[in-house]
Amino acid sequence: MGGIKGNEGSVAGTITPITVRQGAFAFADDTPAHWIPRAPEFAQMINGASFVMPHLEPFLVATLGEAAKLIEDPAVRREARDFCMQETQHYRTHRRFNDVLLGQGYESLAAVEAEMAAAYARLMERPLAVRLAYAAGFEAMTLGLTDWLVGHRVELFRGADPHVTSFILWHMVEETEHKLVAHDVYEAVSPGYWWRAVGVLHGSLDVIQWSRRCYRALLLQDGRWRRPSSRLKVWWWAARFLLGAGPALLRALVPGHDPRVMKDHPWVREWIAGHARSGQRGAPMPLIDTGSAVMPVPF
């Protein structure tokens, strides 16, 4: 089969460089599951999303890797390659963090993970266009999530474990850095509005429901899920998440949407520039000061 060219003038020359960084984060065996002491429910909700990543992100890597073989445009092909390398770092680091939590007695997650593994194996059997739309849809949600987490970092992560906070925000920075890739690959291989629109809902809602399954299991084991006060807090955090990520999803549903028009949060740009100046090459990442009144970039 011949290669597929990107849409004329749509991606070449407008691609943000992607840096593949080693996810050099270490998690002690006694890293607390409630790593945000004043907001244990919110910590477990983020932990729940973390358990999804070692299943979701290998799916994204396999899907975009398969699609890249069909693309002639070297810039888009390079985008896809670097995306896959970044996402591989992400899910390996999430796996290390998740294993720490499993070692603390959250055995009930094993059953949910088995279901996720089976679900993503079934999804891999779907047509490539469906999988690319799913990938582009999920990646659209991460832009809104990043803006919310980074923009409210002091409120959300004040006093939190700096290792986990630094790891989560590193992941969010790189989600912004490769924000174009799933969209560009979709447009190069299987362009069309309706599949992409369906993918926005399919990808985002599917990941949300798996995250909920995971944090429900975590909170059940904590004995918090059935407490009215904890359940109210979960609903509160879920509503705030939807308000934070929702606008990005709505924009992604607009015909002709292109993530290039979405501005990166200044803190994200500062993080990327600071890392470039630091010359980090696989060394342990410097930690964010979660006691700071502004939580500046750690470089």
Side-chain angles (χ1 to χ4, degrees):
M1 178 183 290
I4 298 174
K5 297 180 180 179
N7 294 339
E8 184 176 355
S10 65
V11 293
T14 59
I15 293 172
T16 302
I18 295 172
T19 300
V20 180
R21 305 172 183 90
Q22 298 296 317
F25 291 94
F27 307 107
D29 289 344
D30 60 352
T31 298
H34 303 158
W35 50 274
I36 311 175
R38 59 189 177 77
E41 291 85 4
F42 183 52
Q44 291 288 44
M45 292 174 82
I46 295 179
N47 295 344
S50 180
F51 273 92
V52 181
M53 295 303 110
H55 303 277
L56 165 67
E57 290 179 318
F59 162 80
L60 299 178
V61 169
T63 295
L64 268 72
E66 179 182 337
K69 298 174 184 176
L70 305 177
I71 300 172
E72 287 184 359
D73 186 327
V76 182
R77 228 175 26 247
R78 185 172 61 251
E79 260 195 317
R81 179 202 65 194
D82 292 345
F83 172 96
C84 290
M85 293 173 71
Q86 275 196 344
E87 293 286 34
T88 297
Q89 291 297 326
H90 295 173
Y91 75 73
R92 287 176 176 171
T93 310
H94 277 282
R95 183 75 271 166
R96 293 201 304 272
F97 175 64
N98 297 350
D99 286 345
V100 168
L101 298 183
L102 291 173
Q104 296 177 13
Y106 288 100
E107 299 91 348
S108 59
L109 266 297
V112 184
E113 287 208 82
E115 291 184 49
M116 276 194 287
Y120 278 105
R122 290 192 298 271
L123 189 56
M124 276 300 300
E125 297 174 356
R126 301 289 299 278
L128 181 60
V130 173
R131 291 183 278 131
L132 287 173
Y134 181 107
F138 166 73
E139 292 292 321
M141 179 177 68
T142 66
L143 295 180
L145 178 59
T146 296
D147 273 353
W148 179 57
L149 290 174
V150 169
H152 295 84
R153 63 191 180 279
V154 176
E155 173 196 357
L156 297 174
F157 301 114
R158 175 173 46 84
D161 184 293
H163 295 84
V164 185
T165 301
S166 300
F167 153 54
I168 295 298
L169 293 181
W170 158 74
H171 188 165
M172 293 297 98
V173 164
E174 293 195 347
E175 289 296 322
T176 297
E177 194 174 34
H178 67 227
K179 68 183 181 182
L180 309 179
V181 181
H183 175 273
D184 285 355
V185 172
Y186 173 82
E187 291 295 331
V189 174
S190 56
Y193 170 70
W194 290 110
W195 271 122
R196 183 175 64 77
V198 170
V200 170
L201 301 176
H202 184 198
S204 56
L205 295 178
D206 194 46
V207 174
I208 288 171
Q209 72 93 8
W210 280 119
S211 297
R212 185 183 183 277
R213 287 279 307 277
C214 291
Y215 72 67
R216 179 181 182 273
L218 291 164
L219 289 168
L220 273 171
Q221 198 145 337
D222 284 345
R224 294 175 180 270
W225 181 252
R226 293 191 175 90
R227 293 183 196 172
S229 59
S230 288
R231 189 70 69 85
L232 285 171
K233 289 174 183 175
V234 168
W235 290 342
W236 164 251
W237 288 117
R240 292 197 60 188
F241 160 76
L242 291 174
L243 287 172
L249 290 176
L250 293 176
R251 286 191 292 269
L253 287 169
V254 174
H257 167 75
D258 191 325
R260 286 166 178 76
V261 304
M262 299 181 66
K263 294 183 178 178
D264 299 344
H265 193 284
W267 192 91
V268 170
R269 303 312 310 173
E270 290 175 22
W271 195 104
I272 291 170
H275 180 272
R277 289 193 303 270
S278 74
Q280 292 275 344
R281 290 293 183 273
M285 290 280 188
L287 300 181
I288 294 169
D289 179 5
T290 58
S292 166
V294 296
M295 287 175 60
V297 298
F299 300 102

